[in-house]
């Protein structure tokens, strides 16, 4: 990875855009990044990290911290652009963090989301091609290309100040955490955790199996209740050795005792069954005798009851016989009831019909009523023509009324059309004028708009002109002050420099050693060396005065640039505020008030013209609508006049038809108001006469049927032996009553037969001659035998169930023991591996965890790589070695010692001095960078940064350290040193200086003392 160019805008202490040309810096192989404290040296490194990973190093990535510069003007985006080469790809990354910006509409601020761009340079076309704008995609692409996380990058590329000194002196735990982050040994720690989890799972499975086995043993002890084995159950805890064998042995003994108890229960059940059989036979005999004796006694009692109910049986049989004879008279009775009901209905209908007839027709017969109805029908037929004429007359009246309504409506239409057409010409002229005025306003609006926008620009320019004039006056005042401060600082510096030159001899004399040659004359004798007097000025004071002078000079230059920019902007604004290029140059500049009045007047005129122009379309539409309405009204007037002429002809035709209809209606109406009333009266009288004739015929027919039914009923009652029809009706019984009566007679007859049969049975008669039976005693004996049998059967079932339960539980216990065998073997194997990787096993002599073992191998590689550089830095004195010795209760394998070649002793790195600690830490950092780079897949790291620590080195050691750093160019690397040490400025010609100022820091690139860019 090689850095080419870095652009920083509004980032950290940098308010304006700063550009760092790493190609110019890296060409020397070794370059210096220096500047005063707080100027922003570390912020340059933060910008590199932010461009690559979207965040700064973890130490400075505090919650709530903002990357935006407080010196940046509002509206300038915080942005970092980094151009670099990774492998054979040249990329450009641009990142903007989330930041506040002014709202585009209204006041206040709004949050701008973070943005990222990634582009790649195409050598074939010489163009940059955009690859992505997704944070996630760009982050994955950069991480994959570099092969390092942000933590690894910050540790091996941005070598942080103090971190490796702490790493050098840290204990094994702290050293292990750092190495674990850099080399990502999480997979080995995951192996340890996985084995520990497997051990816990296997142990839990074995424990659960033992618990299930003990639960089975407890259930077998419950099943063996009452046996000798139940008094000595298996006792033990999960995980104890021999538990399985104890459970299986106890189960075998319990099964043997259970089978013996089963044989005894089987014998007892056989004896109880024999006793129960004898008791059952005795009980059955007693019950049979008691039943036959009770049967004989019951038969005697029933015979006595039958004899006492004989009169009632004879009465019921006589009633049943009379009901059977009445059934043969029933058809005649039904016929007579139907005829009587029909006769009564006909008489009622006749009475109602005669009540509606005139008194002279109250006794009229069927013939008279029919003849009168025929005459009325002939009269009704003669009224048909008059009825049609009356209907037609009503239709003619409705049509004439409709014509009258249409005539009135047409009169209104004609009157309205005449009124509207009378005012048409003035209205058309008014609408035409309005449309033409709106059309003219459209052109006037465009003309005023063309004048309004330049006027507004001139007004804005005049306002800027006046503001810039005020700014120029203020800048001139600041320039005068800056010039005074610069002159004062220059005079002070010259005075201090002069005073130092005056005492330079004393300053050189302070460095004289007896016997050593003088730096000026070369003499080894120093008879009268000069002495420092009062008011002597040293080199530091002169440098401070010179720095103050250069700062004042830079401030003056900055104010001059600001004043020049302001004046240039004022000139441009003044020219823009004038009316145009043809204006007289000697004319006075227009004031803001004049231009504002002009803009206001043009705005008003433009608004009025625009408002009138906006009515052009509506005016055209109104004129078009009016012309269409004129055409429609003229057409409607002509159509109405045509309808009026046609209506007059139709009305005359209807008048002639109405006269003819009135004559026909007058003939058919007679004495009634209308023909319809006359016809309705005739229809009602015809209906009454027809109904009356029908009811007379029905009454005569019903009377004949009633007489015939009376004769038929009297003949049927006489034939069945009844004196009168009423007697036959009284003897009649309903079907249900007769069926109940017959059932009662049949039941008495069946009862007599059953009693006779029972008394004739030989067994029943013989039982009656024996002593009374005693079934209660036999029942008690049988119940006792049954209870004894149930007890024996329950005991046998319990013994069988116990044998089956013990057999089933024994099989389950045996299967559980067989299943637990592989689990115990797996647990022992996993537990041994887990203890080995966790460092708790006796087989692990150094008690090293797996992750520590891997990190120890990495630390050994780091120590070997660091020693190659440490030997040069320490002139062959020191060597870093890895130690796997255990210190107390801490982890082993991550020790780091230094071997002193002068003494031959190995000692702890904490015994190194400050300078020795620095170059040992630096060697360790470079070695770690090499190992991590190889671990990351061999990605070349062509640019490294080392942050501070060089001030603790003496001159010789500093030369050796710089030689080692300079040798990194053998691997085509460039190293940037971040330091305050002044001696490094003389030793390293390529420098990136960070200058601190009130309005934000700036960077300057220098090679050999010449400024290249700023």
């Amino acid at each position: 990875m090689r850095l080419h160019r870095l652009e920083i805008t509004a980032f950290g202490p940098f308010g304006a855009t700063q550009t760092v040309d790493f190609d110019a810096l890296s060409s020397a192989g070794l370059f210096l990044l220096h500047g005063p404290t707080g100027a922003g040296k570390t912020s340059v490194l933060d910008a590199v990290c932010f461009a690559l990973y979207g965040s700064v190093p973890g130490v400075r990535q505090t919650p709530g911290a903002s990357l935006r510069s407080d010196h940046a003007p509002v509206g300038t985006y915080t942005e970092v652009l980094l151009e670099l080469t990774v492998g054979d790809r040249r990329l450009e990354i641009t990142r903007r963090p989330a930041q506040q910006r002014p709202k585009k509409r209204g006041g206040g601020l709004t949050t701008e989301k973070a943005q990222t761009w990634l582009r790649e340079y195409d050598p074939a076309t010489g163009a940059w091609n955009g690859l992505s704008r997704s944070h996630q995609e760009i982050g994955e692409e950069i991480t994959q290309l570099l092969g390092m996380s942000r933590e690894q990058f910050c540790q091996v590329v941005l070598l942080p100040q103090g971190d490796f000194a702490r790493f050098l002196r840290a204990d094994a735990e702290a050293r292990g955490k750092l190495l674990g982050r850099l080399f990502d040994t999480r997979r080995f720690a995951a192996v340890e955790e996985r084995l520990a989890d497997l051990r816990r799972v296997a142990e839990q499975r074995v424990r659960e199996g033992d618990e299930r086995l003990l639960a089975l043993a407890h259930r077998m002890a419950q099943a063996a209740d009452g046996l000798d084995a139940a008094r000595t159950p298996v006792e033990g805890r999960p995980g104890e050795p021999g538990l399985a064998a104890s459970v299986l042995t106890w189960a075998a003994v319990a099964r043997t005792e259970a089978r013996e108890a089963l044989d005894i229960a089987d014998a007892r059940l056989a004896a109880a069954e024999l006793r129960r059989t004898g008791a059952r036979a005795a009980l059955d005999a007693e019950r049979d005798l008691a039943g036959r004796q009770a049967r004989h006694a019951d038969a005697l009692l029933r015979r006595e009851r039958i004899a006492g109910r004989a009169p009632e049986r004879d009465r019921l049989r006589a009633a049943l016989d009379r009901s059977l004879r009445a059934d043969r008279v029933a058809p005649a009775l039904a016929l007579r009831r139907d005829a009587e009901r029909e006769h009564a209905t006909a008489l009622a209908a006749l009475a109602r019909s005669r009540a509606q007839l005139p008194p002279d027709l109250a006794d009229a017969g069927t013939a008279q009523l029919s003849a009168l109805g025929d005459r009325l029908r002939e009269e009704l037929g003669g009224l048909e023509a008059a009825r049609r004429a009356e209907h037609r007359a009503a239709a003619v009246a409705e049509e004439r009324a409709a014509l009258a309504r249409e005539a009135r409506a047409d009169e209104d239409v004609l009157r309205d059309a005449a009124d509207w057409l009378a005012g048409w010409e003035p209205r058309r002229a008014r609408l035409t004028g309005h449309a033409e005025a709106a059309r003219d306003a459209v052109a006037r609006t465009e003309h005023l708009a063309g004048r309004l926008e330049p006027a507004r620009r001139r007004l804005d320019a005049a306002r800027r002109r006046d503001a810039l004039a005020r700014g120029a006056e203020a800048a001139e005042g600041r320039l005068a002050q800056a010039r005074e401060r610069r002159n004062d600082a220059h005079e002070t510096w010259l005075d201090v420099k002069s005073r130092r030159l005056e005492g330079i001899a004393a300053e050189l004399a302070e460095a004289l050693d007896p016997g050593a040659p003088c730096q000026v004359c070369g003499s080894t004798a120093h008879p009268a060396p000069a002495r420092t007097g009062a008011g002597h000025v040293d080199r530091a004071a002169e440098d401070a005065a010179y720095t103050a002078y250069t700062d004042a000079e830079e401030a003056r230059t900055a104010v001059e640039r600001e004043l020049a920019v302001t004046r240039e902007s004022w000139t441009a604004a003044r020219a823009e505020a004038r009316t145009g290029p043809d204006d007289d140059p000697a004319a006075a500049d227009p004031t803001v008030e004049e231009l504002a009045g002009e803009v206001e007047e043009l705005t008003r005129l433009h608004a009025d013209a625009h408002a009138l122009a906006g009515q052009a379309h509506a005016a055209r539409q109104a004129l078009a609508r009016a012309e269409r309405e004129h055409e429609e009204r003229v057409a409607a007037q002509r159509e109405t006049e045509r309808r009026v002429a046609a209506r007059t002809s139709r009305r005359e035709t209807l008048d002639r038809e109405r006269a003819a209809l009135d004559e026909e209606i007058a003939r058919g109406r007679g004495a009634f108001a209308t023909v319809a009333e006359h016809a309705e009266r005739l229809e009602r009288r015809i209906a009454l006469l027809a109904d009356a004739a029908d009811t007379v015929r029905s009454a005569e027919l019903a009377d004949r049927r009633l007489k015939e039914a009376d004769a038929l009923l009297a003949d049927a009652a006489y034939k069945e032996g009844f004196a009168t029809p009423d007697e036959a009706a009284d003897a009649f019984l309903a079907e249900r009553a007769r069926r109940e009566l017959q059932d009662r007679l049949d039941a008495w007859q069946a009862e007599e037969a059953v009693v006779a049969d029972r008394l004739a049975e030989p067994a029943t008669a013989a039982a009656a001659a024996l002593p009374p039976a005693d079934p209660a005693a036999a029942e008690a004996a049988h119940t006792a035998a049954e209870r004894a049998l149930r007890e024996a059967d329950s005991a046998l079932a319990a013994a069988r169930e116990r044998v089956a339960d013990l057999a089933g539980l024994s099989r389950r216990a045996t299967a559980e023991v067989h299943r637990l065998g592989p689990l115990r073997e797996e647990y022992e194997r996993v537990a041994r591996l887990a203890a080995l990787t966790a460092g708790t096993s006796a087989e692990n002599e150094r008690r090293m965890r797996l992750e520590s073992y891997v990190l120890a191998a990495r630390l050994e590689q780091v120590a070997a790589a660091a020693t190659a550089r440490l030997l040069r830095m320490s002139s062959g004195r020191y060597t870093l070695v890895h130690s796997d010795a255990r210190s107390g209760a801490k982890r082993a394998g991550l020790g780091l010692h230094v071997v002193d070649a002068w003494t031959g002793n190995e000692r702890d790195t904490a015994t190194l001095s400050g300078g020795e600690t620095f170059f040992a830490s630096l060697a360790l950092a470079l070695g770690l960078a090499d190992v991590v780079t190889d671990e990351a897949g061999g990605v070349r790291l062509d640019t490294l940064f080392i942050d501070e620590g060089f001030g603790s080195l003496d001159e010789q050691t500093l030369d050796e350290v710089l030689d080692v750093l300079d040798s990194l160019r053998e691997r085509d690397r460039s190293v940037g040193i971040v330091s305050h040490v002044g001696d490094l400025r003389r030793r390293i010609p390529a420098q990136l200086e960070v200058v601190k100022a009130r309005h934000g820091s700036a960077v300057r690139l220098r090679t050999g003392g010449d400024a290249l860019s700023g």
Side-chain angles (χ1 to χ4, degrees):
M1 180 197 74
R2 177 177 294 278
L3 305 182
H4 299 293
R5 180 170 57 92
L6 176 67
E7 287 187 4
I8 310 172
T9 303
F11 183 89
F14 304 104
T17 300
Q18 304 295 322
T19 301
V20 179
D21 188 352
F22 283 111
D23 286 337
L25 289 171
S26 301
S27 60
L30 195 64
F31 61 91
L32 178 66
L33 177 60
H34 69 94
T37 301
K41 301 184 297 298
T42 305
S43 295
V44 175
L45 309 185
D46 291 346
V48 174
C49 183
F50 176 75
L52 291 174
Y53 295 97
S55 59
V56 298
V59 177
R60 295 179 289 279
Q61 187 72 29
T62 57
S66 175
L67 301 177
R68 181 168 178 80
S69 174
D70 295 333
H71 303 288
V74 177
T76 300
Y77 284 103
T78 298
E79 181 177 285
V80 175
L81 182 148
L82 178 64
E83 184 181 341
L84 73 161
T85 296
V86 182
D88 57 350
R89 301 177 62 183
R90 186 154 182 159
L91 304 174
E92 180 189 85
I93 309 170
T94 304
R95 288 189 188 270
R96 288 182 182 175
Q99 53 196 290
Q100 297 285 324
R101 66 163 176 80
K103 294 182 178 179
K104 295 181 179 179
R105 295 182 179 178
L109 299 175
T110 184
T111 300
E112 182 83 10
K113 294 183 178 179
Q115 301 182 56
T116 307
W117 296 270
L118 177 63
R119 300 197 302 169
E120 182 174 5
Y121 180 73
D122 186 358
T125 62
W128 288 92
N129 300 323
L131 298 182
S132 176
R133 296 191 62 174
S134 168
H135 299 293
Q136 183 176 0
E137 291 179 359
I138 296 174
E140 294 175 354
E141 180 76 10
I142 295 301
T143 303
Q144 182 177 2
L145 288 174
L146 296 180
M148 291 182 288
S149 64
R150 186 194 67 179
E151 290 75 11
Q152 290 176 317
F153 178 84
C154 295
Q155 202 73 39
V156 302
V157 178
L158 310 178
L159 305 182
Q161 65 181 28
D163 279 11
F164 281 95
R166 286 192 294 272
F167 177 77
L168 193 66
R169 297 174 177 175
D171 57 13
E173 291 294 333
R175 194 173 288 138
K177 292 180 180 178
L178 176 61
L179 292 174
R181 289 197 304 269
L182 294 178
F183 293 105
D184 193 14
T185 57
R186 289 175 295 181
R187 59 187 184 278
F188 301 104
V191 170
E192 297 178 26
E193 295 177 1
R194 178 58 177 165
L195 288 173
D197 292 341
L198 291 176
R199 180 187 61 189
R200 286 192 294 271
V201 171
E203 182 180 8
Q204 181 64 24
R205 293 171 66 186
V206 171
R207 183 176 295 276
E208 290 175 354
D210 286 347
E211 290 176 352
R212 290 194 297 270
L213 193 60
L214 286 173
L216 290 173
H218 179 68
R219 292 178 59 185
M220 285 190 290
Q222 292 178 339
D225 187 26
L227 301 178
D228 293 338
R231 290 191 287 274
T232 58
V234 177
E235 294 182 356
R237 290 181 297 177
E240 290 184 356
L243 178 64
S246 299
V247 172
L248 295 180
T249 301
W250 184 91
V253 174
R255 289 199 306 273
T256 301
E257 293 181 0
R259 283 194 293 270
E260 293 174 355
L262 176 62
D263 295 338
I264 295 172
D266 194 13
R268 290 177 178 173
L269 178 62
E273 287 180 345
L274 290 176
R275 288 196 299 273
R276 197 276 305 267
T277 303
R280 183 66 188 179
L283 176 60
D284 292 342
E286 287 297 319
R287 286 178 175 174
D288 182 63
L289 177 59
R292 285 184 281 128
Q293 290 177 348
R295 187 181 181 86
H296 184 269
D298 180 66
L300 293 177
L301 181 62
R302 291 168 64 185
R303 185 176 63 184
E304 291 178 0
R305 286 200 300 268
I306 291 172
R309 299 179 63 184
E312 182 181 1
R313 180 187 60 188
D314 294 340
R315 181 180 59 78
L316 294 177
R317 185 175 288 117
L320 180 60
D321 181 64
R322 293 179 68 248
S323 174
L324 293 174
R325 288 188 289 112
D327 285 347
R328 290 190 285 274
V329 184
L333 280 172
L335 181 62
R336 204 274 179 187
R337 282 196 296 271
D338 293 342
E340 185 177 12
R341 187 169 54 254
E342 183 180 353
H343 183 263
T345 300
L347 290 179
L350 178 61
R352 288 193 301 272
S353 178
R354 289 186 182 274
Q356 297 179 3
L357 295 175
D360 56 337
L361 297 177
D363 297 329
T366 302
Q368 184 180 359
L369 292 173
S370 300
L372 182 57
D374 292 339
R375 288 198 302 272
L376 292 177
R377 289 189 185 91
E378 292 177 358
E379 185 178 354
L380 179 62
L383 294 178
E384 187 62 28
R387 293 173 68 180
R388 289 196 299 271
E390 191 173 50
H391 291 160
R392 176 56 186 163
V396 169
E398 291 180 359
E399 187 174 355
R400 287 203 60 186
L403 291 175
R405 288 194 299 272
E406 292 175 0
R408 287 192 297 271
D410 287 344
E411 289 176 359
D412 295 338
V413 170
L414 291 174
R415 186 168 49 255
D416 181 60
D419 294 341
W420 192 90
L421 291 173
W424 163 240
E425 291 301 333
R427 183 183 182 191
R428 180 172 60 180
R430 185 176 64 258
L431 292 175
T432 302
H434 190 190
E436 291 175 352
R439 186 167 56 249
D440 294 340
V442 172
R444 190 164 62 256
T445 301
E446 295 176 356
H447 174 70
L448 290 173
R451 293 177 57 194
L452 179 59
E453 189 57 32
R456 287 174 176 169
R457 288 197 298 268
R458 290 170 56 215
L459 175 60
D460 294 339
R463 288 169 176 167
R464 290 199 308 274
R465 177 199 63 197
D466 294 349
L468 289 170
R470 292 190 295 271
E473 292 176 0
E476 288 174 353
R478 291 196 301 273
L479 178 59
Q481 296 175 0
R483 285 172 176 169
E484 291 178 0
R485 286 194 295 270
R486 181 261 183 195
N487 294 334
D488 293 342
H490 186 254
E491 292 175 359
T492 301
W493 171 60
L494 293 177
D495 179 62
V496 171
K497 184 176 181 180
S498 174
R499 288 162 58 193
R500 181 169 180 267
L501 291 175
E502 292 174 358
I504 194 65
E507 185 177 336
L508 293 174
E510 291 178 354
L512 294 177
D513 292 329
C518 176
Q519 298 180 14
V520 179
C521 63
S523 174
T524 57
H526 316 298
R531 294 290 182 263
T532 302
H536 175 68
V537 177
D538 58 6
R539 176 65 179 271
E542 182 186 358
D543 291 344
Y546 179 73
T547 301
Y549 162 64
T550 56
D551 291 344
E553 177 65 21
E554 290 177 357
R556 181 192 63 78
T557 303
V559 174
E560 285 182 347
R561 286 198 298 269
E562 180 184 355
L563 178 58
V565 170
T566 303
R567 287 174 174 171
E568 183 179 355
S569 300
W570 176 85
T571 302
R574 177 173 178 267
E576 187 177 358
R578 299 178 72 86
T579 56
D582 297 333
D583 289 346
D584 184 5
D589 292 339
T591 65
V592 172
E593 291 74 13
E594 293 172 350
L595 293 175
E598 181 183 355
V599 169
E600 182 179 0
E601 178 63 19
L602 288 174
T603 301
R604 183 185 62 78
L605 295 175
H606 178 268
D608 294 343
H610 184 271
L612 183 58
Q615 301 174 8
H617 180 68
R620 289 194 299 271
Q621 288 186 332
L623 178 60
R625 284 196 302 270
E627 291 176 346
R628 286 196 300 273
E629 186 178 1
H630 174 263
E631 295 175 357
E632 292 171 358
R633 286 183 178 273
V634 171
Q637 185 182 38
R638 293 172 181 171
E639 179 62 23
T640 303
E641 291 173 350
R642 184 191 61 78
R643 288 199 306 270
V644 169
R647 192 182 303 112
T648 302
S649 174
R650 179 58 179 168
R651 186 166 50 246
E652 293 175 353
T653 302
L654 291 176
D655 290 342
R656 290 192 298 269
E657 183 180 2
R658 178 60 185 269
L661 291 173
D662 288 343
E663 294 178 0
E664 182 67 28
I665 291 171
R667 286 194 299 270
R669 186 170 57 237
F672 297 94
T674 62
V675 176
E677 182 181 351
H678 188 188
E680 183 183 359
R681 179 66 178 275
L682 289 176
E683 289 172 352
R684 195 162 52 247
R685 292 186 64 190
I686 291 170
L688 289 175
L689 291 173
D691 182 63
D694 291 340
T695 56
V696 170
R697 281 193 295 271
S698 297
E700 292 173 351
L701 179 60
D703 185 62
R704 287 196 299 271
R705 289 179 179 174
L706 180 60
K707 292 178 180 179
E708 292 173 356
D710 286 338
L712 183 61
L713 175 62
D715 183 60
Y718 176 77
K719 289 180 179 179
E720 294 298 329
F722 295 104
T724 63
D726 293 337
E727 184 180 351
D730 293 339
F732 180 77
L733 292 177
E735 180 63 25
R736 181 176 179 181
R738 186 166 59 249
R739 188 166 55 253
E740 292 177 354
L741 184 59
Q742 184 64 50
D743 291 343
R744 292 176 64 185
L745 292 175
D746 293 342
W748 280 338
Q749 186 176 359
E751 180 73 6
E752 289 176 349
V754 169
V755 170
D757 293 342
R758 186 169 296 176
L759 292 176
E761 294 175 352
T764 303
L770 295 175
D774 189 6
E779 180 72 24
H782 179 265
T783 301
E786 283 281 356
R787 183 168 57 253
L789 178 62
R790 285 196 300 271
E791 292 174 354
D793 186 61
S794 298
L796 178 61
R800 287 174 178 170
E801 183 178 0
R802 180 166 54 198
V803 169
D805 290 346
L806 288 174
L809 292 172
S810 297
R811 286 192 299 272
R812 292 178 59 184
T814 302
E816 188 65 32
V817 169
H818 291 163
R819 195 179 69 84
L820 280 175
L823 294 179
R824 291 184 187 278
E825 295 177 1
E826 179 184 357
Y827 166 66
E828 293 172 357
R829 181 173 62 257
V830 172
R832 185 168 61 254
L833 287 174
L836 182 64
T837 57
T840 60
S841 171
E843 298 175 355
N844 192 336
E845 296 178 357
R846 296 190 180 277
R847 297 293 192 267
M848 291 178 63
R849 290 171 43 203
L850 177 61
E851 183 184 13
S852 299
Y853 179 77
V854 175
L855 291 177
R858 291 289 186 262
L859 183 58
E860 189 172 3
Q861 296 174 357
V862 171
T867 297
R869 296 187 175 88
L870 182 58
L871 285 172
R872 294 183 59 185
M873 293 182 186
S874 63
S875 301
R877 180 179 179 183
Y878 293 117
T879 302
L880 284 176
V881 294
H882 159 253
S883 174
D884 56 5
R886 185 177 182 87
S887 177
K890 298 180 180 179
R891 73 162 83 181
L894 296 179
L896 194 62
H897 291 173
V898 63
V899 177
D900 190 344
W902 290 1
T903 64
N905 294 330
E906 180 178 330
R907 53 192 173 95
D908 194 274
T909 54
T911 62
L912 295 173
S913 66
E916 292 171 342
T917 298
F918 169 70
F919 62 69
S921 301
L922 179 58
L924 185 64
L926 295 174
L928 184 62
D930 291 339
V931 176
V932 171
T933 300
D934 296 337
E935 178 73 12
V939 177
R940 290 178 54 84
L941 300 178
D942 299 322
T943 307
L944 298 177
F945 296 93
I946 301 173
D947 195 355
E948 285 297 353
F950 292 89
S952 61
L953 304 179
D954 57 61
E955 185 175 358
Q956 181 180 356
T957 305
L958 180 60
D959 288 337
E960 293 171 348
V961 170
L962 292 179
D963 289 342
V964 171
L965 295 178
D966 193 54
S967 68
L968 294 176
R969 287 186 295 176
E970 298 172 359
R971 300 182 65 176
D972 197 21
R973 282 181 173 174
S974 60
V975 179
I977 298 175
V978 183
S979 178
H980 293 279
V981 177
D983 197 25
L984 290 176
R985 302 183 192 179
R986 293 188 294 272
R987 294 171 179 265
I988 304 175
Q991 300 178 14
L992 181 65
E993 182 183 5
V994 182
V995 180
K996 180 169 63 175
R998 179 180 298 275
H999 300 293
S1001 299
V1003 298
R1004 293 177 179 175
L1005 182 62
R1006 303 178 183 275
T1007 58
D1010 297 332
L1012 298 181
S1013 63

